[in-house]
């Protein structure tokens, strides 16, 4: 191989290394940008892909018919701080017999057209019942009422609370106990574990019945002991076949742990019931045989007569547990067959199609609804003038802020600490409303409302709150609430304070009604097509990007329980404009998740100021070290360079102490002043200044230029690449500064972008798609700046003597 070929191969090898290295360096950045466009579920998918469904014009998403009934619509994870402080205002009962909830077990959907399918297991539109045969249902209800005391004690408490007056309510409650709950007795794992435990205890009782009853006693003579031993042995032989049969049944239960669904099917249940009945029959037959044997043996020994009676009593209860379970499973089979058999009418259509409302549409509808909202005219006018399409999602927070502000202003004329009074009254309202929910007493609720809306005294208010707390079992917590209220009642006129309490109650009522109105308007889909049986559909959780999402399908008077055994599927369709917005949705969500406008301003301001200040100080110091002569110049410069060997982390504590003493913590001074001098920038400019001929400096002095003017009119312009390099390095360092900013800042008004990225990370995990979106729009300005100045950066490094 000649020299030319060797050089060619070497060049190819070098190019491959360069291209490969560049690729490896760019891939992480490219992956970060790609992740910033992905949906949450795609971030951790394996194997990873570069595509995202956010760029698709349509996609299927996972749904599941929610079988458990919900008692409240408040999702604490979605509440702002002010909403959480006024939590009582947002409490509302949403459990509705005619509302079917379909959980969205997929990524959030914020726009577009939604199609929901409600189908039976064979793929046809879901079935329900009309004109239910109440006579047949009455027979089923009577059987339940006669048996509910004979069910296993584990479930008898819940079953006895069920109301049989309404079929829909009864079936929803009964299936809740049997299959909807995680502890439902027909769920496979629960049923297997319960029956295995039951069988195990039955075997133990069978084997121990004779052993315990006919055990040897110190007063027994040899003849009695011999008779007891024979009796125990013979009874054990009688029970041996039954014990073996029960053990076989126990082993066979494991086959029912898994199946196509988590609920035991009716054919499987029939097999289990049949086998249990056989075992009950064997237990009862063996009990009679063993009891006859014991009686015959006892006839020869009068001392055994009392023991036989005791043995009889122990045998009577052995089959009680299995019998109770057969009653329960038998009734479930009968109720399930009735439930399935009466569903003979199908939905007019299995498809529901609706569009998610835009913020502009919601704003218009909310403004119209405010006219009919029960509130004072001043509050209505404030909301009308304040709410816009851009802030309509925060309408409840805006209302709370307005009411809180007015309330504090009113308190200021009577109390020295109005904010503390507001917090105390809010806590009392939260406590009162939550205690009313726990108490679940309509008459007590009515009395509280009557007192709160009349000219009641402070003593009456305190008395009714105490009564509610006692009824709800919250007397201990009430002591703290009462102490806070009494403190402020003593500070001012108690009757004046009573008016403030009643006013806050009315305001929480107002906020609650507005919150419900706002939520319903925002989450209701504009239906394009639907079955005749469906009235409205709401996409709950749409307002907030966090929290659970679900579709509430409100039916026209049809109990939702008839559809809880069906299946659902859903699809989202988007226009081209909506697809583009979906593609960039993570950036919008990330930007709105924190005050990134403030973070951006702080970052740019601090980076620019520190960069300019550093260049000024570095240029002056570099000029002194490069062109001026003074005693100890080289030694001082060496000491300057030696400071570069000190880790920056070592200086954090002394710098923090110094800034604390100056009172600069949580201010721009703390972010700027400690970083306006950089030894590296001095070194970089000094090396470049030394390449400029001294003759030029001498000529400038002869022409009468001052050192200051020579520095800024000659040296710095000639050193533009080095100056830009130093400025770029400083700008990037300041832009990316994290630890120092985190330490010296406390409020979001002062913090910068790197610290702001913490909003997407917590102890429970990170929202990587939002974090990557925020990181991308944080780093783009630096990347653009480098691309614009890269030729100066390279020239500055090359001409400064750095290798």
């Amino acid at each position: 191989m000649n020299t030319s070929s060797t050089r060619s191969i070497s060049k190819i090898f070098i190019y491959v290394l360069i291209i490969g290295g560049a690729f490896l360096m760019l891939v992480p950045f490219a992956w970060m940008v790609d992740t910033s466009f992905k949906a949450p579920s795609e971030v951790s998918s394996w194997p990873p892909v570069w595509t995202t469904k956010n760029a698709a014009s349509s996609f299927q998403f996972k749904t599941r018919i929610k079988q458990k009934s919900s008692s409240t619509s408040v999702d604490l994870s979605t509440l702002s701080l002010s909403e959480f402080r006024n939590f009582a205002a947002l409490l509302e009962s949403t459990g509705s017999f005619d509302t079917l909830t379909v959980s969205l077990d997929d990524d959030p959907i914020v726009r577009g057209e939604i199609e929901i399918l409600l189908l039976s297991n064979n793929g046809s539109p879901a079935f329900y019942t009309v004109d239910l045969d109440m006579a047949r249902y009455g027979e089923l209800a009577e059987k339940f009422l006669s048996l509910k005391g004979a069910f296993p004690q584990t479930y008898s408490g819940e079953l006895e609370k069920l109301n049989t007056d309404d079929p829909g309510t009864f079936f929803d409650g009964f299936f809740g106990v049997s299959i909807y709950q995680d502890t439902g007795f027909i769920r496979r794992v629960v049923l297997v574990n319960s029956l295995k435990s039951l069988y195990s205890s039955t075997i133990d009782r069978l084997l121990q019945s004779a052993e315990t009853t006919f055990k040897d006693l110190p007063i027994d003579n040899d003849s009695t002991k011999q008779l007891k031993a024979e009796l125990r042995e013979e009874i054990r032989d009688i029970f041996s076949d039954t014990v073996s049969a029960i053990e076989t049944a126990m082993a066979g239960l494991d086959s029912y742990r898994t199946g196509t669904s988590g609920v035991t099917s009716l054919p499987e249940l029939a097999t289990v019931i049949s086998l249990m009945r056989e075992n009950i029959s064997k237990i009862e037959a063996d009990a009679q045989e063993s009891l006859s044997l014991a009686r015959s043996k006892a006839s020869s020994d009068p001392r055994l007569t009392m023991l036989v009676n005791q043995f009889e009593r122990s045998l009577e209860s052995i089959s009680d547990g299995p019998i109770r379970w057969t009653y329960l499973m038998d009734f479930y089979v009968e109720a399930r067959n009735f439930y399935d058999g009466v569903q003979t009418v199908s939905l007019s259509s299995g498809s529901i199609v609706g569009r998610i409302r835009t913020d502009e549409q919601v704003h218009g509808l909310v403004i119209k609804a405010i006219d009919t909202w029960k509130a004072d005219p001043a509050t209505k006018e404030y909301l009308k003038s304040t709410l816009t399409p851009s802030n309509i999602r925060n309408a409840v927070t805006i209302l709370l802020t307005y009411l809180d502000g007015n309330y504090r202003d009113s308190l200021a004329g009577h109390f020295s600490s109005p904010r503390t009074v507001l917090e105390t009254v809010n806590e009392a309202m939260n406590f009162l409303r939550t205690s009313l929910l726990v108490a679940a007493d309509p008459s007590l609720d009515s009395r509280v409302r009557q007192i709160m809306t009349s000219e009641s005294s402070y003593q009456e208010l305190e008395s009714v709150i105490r009564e509610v707390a006692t009824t709800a079992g919250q007397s201990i917590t009430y002591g703290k609430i009462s102490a806070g209220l009494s403190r402020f009642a003593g500070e001012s006129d108690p009757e004046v304070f009573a008016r403030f309490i009643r006013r806050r109650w009315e305001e929480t009522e107002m906020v609650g009604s507005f919150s419900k109105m706002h939520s319903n308007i925002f989450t209701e889909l504009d239906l394009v097509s639907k079955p005749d049986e469906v009235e409205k559909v709401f996409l709950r959780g749409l307002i907030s990007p966090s929290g659970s999402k679900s579709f509430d399908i409100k039916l026209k008077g049809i109990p939702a329980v008839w559809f809880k055994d069906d299946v659902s599927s859903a699809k989202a369709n988007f226009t081209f404009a909506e697809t583009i917005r979906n593609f960039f949705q993570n950036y919008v969500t990330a930007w709105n998740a924190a005050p990134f406008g403030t973070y951006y301003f702080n970052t740019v301001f601090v980076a620019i100021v520190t960069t300019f200040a550093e260049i000024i100080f570095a240029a002056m110091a570099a000029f002194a070290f490069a062109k001026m002569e003074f005693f100890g110049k080289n030694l001082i410069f060496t000491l300057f360079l030696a400071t570069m060997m000190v880790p920056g982390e070592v200086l954090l504590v002394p710098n923090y102490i110094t800034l604390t003493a100056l009172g600069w913590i949580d201010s721009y001074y703390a972010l700027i002043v400690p970083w306006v001098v950089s030894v590296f920038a001095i070194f970089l400019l000094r090396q470049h200044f030394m390449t400029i001929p001294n003759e030029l400096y001498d000529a400038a002095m002869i022409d009468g230029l001052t050192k200051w003017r020579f520095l800024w009119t000659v040296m710095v312009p000639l050193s533009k690449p080095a100056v830009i390099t130093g400025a770029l390095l400083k700008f990037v360092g300041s832009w990316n500064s994290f630890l120092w900013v985190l330490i010296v800042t406390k409020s979001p008004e002062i913090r910068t972008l790197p610290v702001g990225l913490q909003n997407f990370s917590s102890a429970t995990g990170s929202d990587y798609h939002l974090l990557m979106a925020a990181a991308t729009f944080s780093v783009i300005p630096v990347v653009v700046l480098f691309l614009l100045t890269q030729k100066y950066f390279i020239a500055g490094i090359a001409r400064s003597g750095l290798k």
Side-chain angles (χ1 to χ4, degrees):
M1 183 180 295
N2 55 34
T3 303
S4 177
S5 299
T6 303
R7 290 177 178 175
S8 298
I9 294 175
S10 299
K11 289 181 180 179
I12 294 173
F13 180 72
I14 292 172
Y15 281 128
V16 169
L17 286 179
I18 294 173
I19 294 172
F23 177 77
L24 291 176
M25 293 177 65
L26 288 175
V27 163
F29 179 77
W31 186 253
M32 178 188 76
V33 175
D34 181 69
T35 302
S36 70
F37 293 107
K38 290 185 175 182
S41 64
E42 297 174 321
V43 174
S44 57
S45 63
W46 190 262
V49 295
W50 290 91
T51 58
T52 173
K53 63 182 180 182
N54 283 340
S57 59
S58 66
F59 59 79
Q60 296 279 344
F61 53 91
K62 302 175 185 175
T63 59
R64 173 178 53 85
I65 293 179
K66 189 175 181 180
Q67 297 177 324
K68 294 181 183 178
S69 298
S70 176
S71 59
T72 179
S73 65
V74 178
D75 183 358
L76 294 180
S77 65
T78 67
L79 298 184
S80 67
L81 180 58
S82 60
E83 288 174 327
F84 188 81
R85 287 172 175 167
N86 293 270
F87 170 58
L90 306 178
L91 287 175
E92 57 172 300
S93 176
T94 59
S96 178
F97 82 102
D98 62 350
T99 299
L100 180 68
T101 300
V102 178
S103 297
L104 199 167
D105 297 337
D106 212 318
D107 299 310
I109 300 172
V110 297
R111 61 179 60 85
E113 183 181 83
I114 307 295
E115 181 180 9
I116 306 170
L117 299 179
L118 291 180
L119 306 173
S120 60
N121 291 320
N122 61 12
S124 61
F127 286 86
Y128 64 101
T129 183
V130 294
D131 299 327
L132 182 67
D133 187 344
M134 293 303 294
R136 282 187 58 204
Y137 171 72
E139 295 175 1
L140 183 70
E142 287 181 9
K143 183 173 183 179
F144 172 79
L145 293 174
S146 65
L147 287 175
K148 66 180 182 179
F151 292 143
Q153 293 182 353
T154 306
Y155 298 98
S156 60
E158 291 182 272
L159 293 171
E160 287 178 358
K161 297 177 183 177
L162 299 183
N163 186 347
T164 59
D165 294 341
D166 177 70
T169 303
F170 170 73
F171 281 115
D172 192 47
F174 180 73
F175 289 143
V177 178
S178 58
I179 58 178
Y180 297 162
Q181 299 176 5
D182 294 335
T183 57
F185 60 83
I186 299 300
R187 299 190 72 83
R188 291 183 179 275
V189 175
V190 176
L191 182 66
V192 170
N193 290 341
S194 298
L195 295 187
K196 290 186 76 170
S197 176
L198 175 66
Y199 277 146
S200 179
S201 64
T202 301
I203 291 174
D204 290 341
R205 295 184 65 184
L206 282 172
L207 296 177
Q208 293 299 319
S209 58
E211 298 292 334
T212 302
T213 305
F214 300 112
K215 65 182 179 180
D216 293 339
L217 299 175
I219 61 174
D220 291 340
N221 56 32
D222 292 342
S223 174
T224 301
K225 290 181 179 179
Q226 178 65 28
L227 189 60
K228 284 185 175 181
E230 292 176 359
L231 191 57
R232 291 196 301 268
E233 183 65 26
E234 291 178 11
I235 291 175
R236 189 183 303 112
D237 290 341
I238 292 174
F239 285 144
S240 61
D241 290 342
T242 299
V243 169
S244 297
I246 294 176
E247 289 176 341
T248 301
M250 284 179 63
L253 287 172
D254 287 327
S255 63
Y256 298 109
R257 285 186 180 274
T258 57
T260 55
S261 70
V263 178
T264 311
S265 66
L266 293 182
E268 291 172 324
L269 203 57
T271 303
V272 172
I273 295 172
S274 175
L275 192 57
M276 182 171 284
R277 282 182 175 149
E278 291 178 12
N279 289 326
I280 291 173
S281 299
K282 290 178 180 180
I283 292 171
E284 292 176 342
D286 289 350
Q288 291 298 322
E289 183 179 352
S290 61
L291 185 60
S292 298
L293 175 65
R295 285 171 176 164
S296 65
K297 292 280 187 181
S299 62
S300 61
D301 191 336
R303 299 176 182 175
L304 298 180
T305 303
M306 292 181 62
L307 296 179
V308 171
N309 293 333
Q310 181 182 341
F311 181 56
E312 182 178 10
R313 287 193 298 271
S314 68
L315 291 176
E316 288 175 353
S317 61
I318 289 178
S319 60
D320 183 62
I323 289 174
R324 286 177 175 271
W325 268 94
T326 56
Y327 286 157
L328 183 61
M329 291 186 292
D330 271 336
F331 183 79
Y332 170 81
V333 171
E334 187 173 349
R336 185 73 198 208
N337 285 328
F338 181 91
Y339 172 83
D340 293 338
V342 298
Q343 296 185 58
T344 57
V345 180
S346 68
L347 290 173
S348 57
S349 170
S351 174
I352 305 172
V353 181
R355 292 197 63 83
I356 297 175
R357 290 171 174 170
T358 64
D359 290 0
E360 290 76 12
Q361 291 173 319
V362 171
H363 174 257
L365 292 172
V366 168
I367 295 300
K368 289 181 180 178
I370 288 176
D371 290 330
T372 60
W373 174 47
K374 187 178 179 181
D376 60 278
T379 302
K380 291 183 177 181
E381 288 305 316
Y382 174 79
L383 288 178
K384 285 184 176 181
S385 61
T386 305
L387 294 180
T388 64
S390 61
N391 66 15
I392 191 64
R393 290 176 180 267
N394 302 318
V396 176
T397 302
I398 292 171
L399 174 60
L400 285 170
T401 303
Y402 171 76
L403 294 176
D404 285 354
N406 289 345
Y407 196 83
R408 282 195 302 270
D409 292 342
S410 300
L411 290 171
H414 302 274
F415 300 93
S416 58
S417 179
R419 180 178 294 276
T420 306
V421 178
L422 172 61
E423 292 174 353
T424 301
V425 174
N426 279 347
E427 186 178 5
M429 291 299 99
N430 289 342
F431 173 77
L432 179 59
R433 286 182 175 272
T434 52
S435 297
L436 282 172
L437 287 178
V438 174
D441 185 342
S443 62
L444 182 60
D445 185 82
S446 176
R447 186 159 67 257
V448 169
R449 294 180 182 277
Q450 188 273 328
I451 290 176
M452 286 293 177
T453 54
S454 62
E455 292 296 325
S456 51
S457 65
Y458 175 75
Q459 286 74 21
E460 290 177 306
L461 292 175
E462 188 178 35
S463 176
V464 77
I465 295 175
R466 184 190 306 111
E467 182 182 355
V468 172
T470 303
T471 306
Q474 302 291 327
S475 298
I476 297 177
T477 306
Y478 166 75
K480 177 185 175 183
I481 300 294
S482 177
L485 294 176
S486 298
R487 170 192 167 192
F488 294 112
E491 181 179 332
S492 177
D493 183 350
E495 302 314 312
V496 171
F497 189 49
R499 287 201 297 271
F500 278 113
I501 294 176
R502 294 196 302 269
R503 171 181 166 181
R504 200 55 181 172
W505 171 273
E506 293 174 358
E507 288 179 348
T508 59
E509 292 271 296
M510 185 192 309
V511 173
S513 62
F514 180 81
S515 174
K516 183 176 181 179
M517 176 186 72
H518 174 260
S519 175
N520 286 342
I521 292 175
F522 214 113
T523 59
E524 184 178 353
L525 300 183
D526 288 328
L527 297 179
V528 177
S529 63
K530 65 179 181 65
D532 296 335
E533 297 83 352
V534 172
E535 182 178 346
K536 295 179 180 179
V537 179
F538 301 91
L539 176 50
R540 300 299 185 187
L542 180 63
I543 297 175
S544 171
S546 59
S548 59
K549 316 292 181 186
S550 63
F551 295 97
D552 280 0
I553 303 174
K554 185 170 178 57
L555 304 163
K556 293 181 179 178
I558 303 172
V561 67
W562 303 119
F563 300 96
K564 289 188 176 182
D565 62 333
D566 296 312
V567 294
S568 66
S569 64
K571 181 182 180 182
N573 300 307
F574 309 101
T575 64
F576 178 76
E578 289 171 338
T579 303
I580 297 299
R581 295 180 66 186
N582 284 342
F583 190 64
F584 291 98
Q585 182 61 41
N586 287 343
Y587 288 85
V588 176
T589 303
W591 184 269
N592 293 329
F596 273 100
T598 301
Y599 294 156
Y600 245 107
F601 172 80
N602 292 339
T603 306
V604 172
F605 175 72
V606 171
I608 290 176
V609 172
T610 54
T611 299
F612 274 98
E614 181 192 86
I615 293 301
I616 292 172
F617 290 124
M620 291 190 294
F623 178 75
F625 284 124
K627 298 301 181 183
M628 298 178 65
E629 296 296 334
F630 52 90
F631 177 77
K633 179 177 74 170
N634 293 332
L635 176 62
I636 295 174
F637 184 67
T638 302
L639 292 175
F640 266 53
L641 294 180
T643 61
M644 296 177 64
M645 305 297 292
V646 180
E649 289 76 8
V650 175
L651 303 176
L652 290 178
V653 173
N655 282 347
Y656 183 84
I657 294 173
T658 302
L659 293 179
T660 303
L662 294 172
W664 286 359
I665 295 298
D666 204 29
S667 69
Y668 288 119
Y669 296 114
L671 301 180
I672 296 172
V673 174
W675 310 109
V676 296
V677 175
S678 169
V679 175
F680 177 77
I682 294 173
F683 171 68
L684 181 70
L685 292 182
R686 176 205 181 248
Q687 295 301 102
H688 198 281
F689 286 176
M690 290 181 67
T691 63
I692 297 176
N694 290 332
E695 290 78 8
L696 191 61
Y697 176 63
D698 295 336
M701 293 300 101
I702 293 173
D703 288 342
L705 262 67
T706 62
K707 294 182 179 64
W708 179 262
R709 188 175 178 186
F710 177 74
L711 169 63
W712 298 111
T713 59
V714 179
M715 294 288 282
V716 170
L718 290 176
S719 305
K720 183 165 65 172
V723 171
I724 292 177
T725 299
L728 180 61
L729 293 174
K730 183 60 182 180
F731 187 89
V732 173
S734 179
W735 187 280
N736 294 329
S737 178
F738 172 77
L739 184 59
W740 178 252
V741 179
L742 180 65
I743 291 174
V744 300
T745 60
K746 300 176 182 178
S747 59
E749 290 76 14
I750 302 298
R751 287 186 164 174
T752 57
L753 282 170
V755 178
L757 297 180
Q758 286 186 116
N759 287 280
F760 306 106
S761 299
S762 65
T764 58
S766 300
D767 295 323
Y768 288 106
H769 59 301
L770 301 180
L771 179 60
M772 294 301 102
T776 300
F777 63 61
S778 298
V779 77
I780 282 178
V782 177
V783 173
V784 172
L785 182 62
F786 176 78
L787 293 176
L788 295 176
T789 60
Q790 61 175 328
K791 65 178 181 178
Y792 299 105
F793 180 80
I794 296 172
I797 296 295
R799 297 179 186 178
S800 298
L802 300 181
K803 303 295 182 183

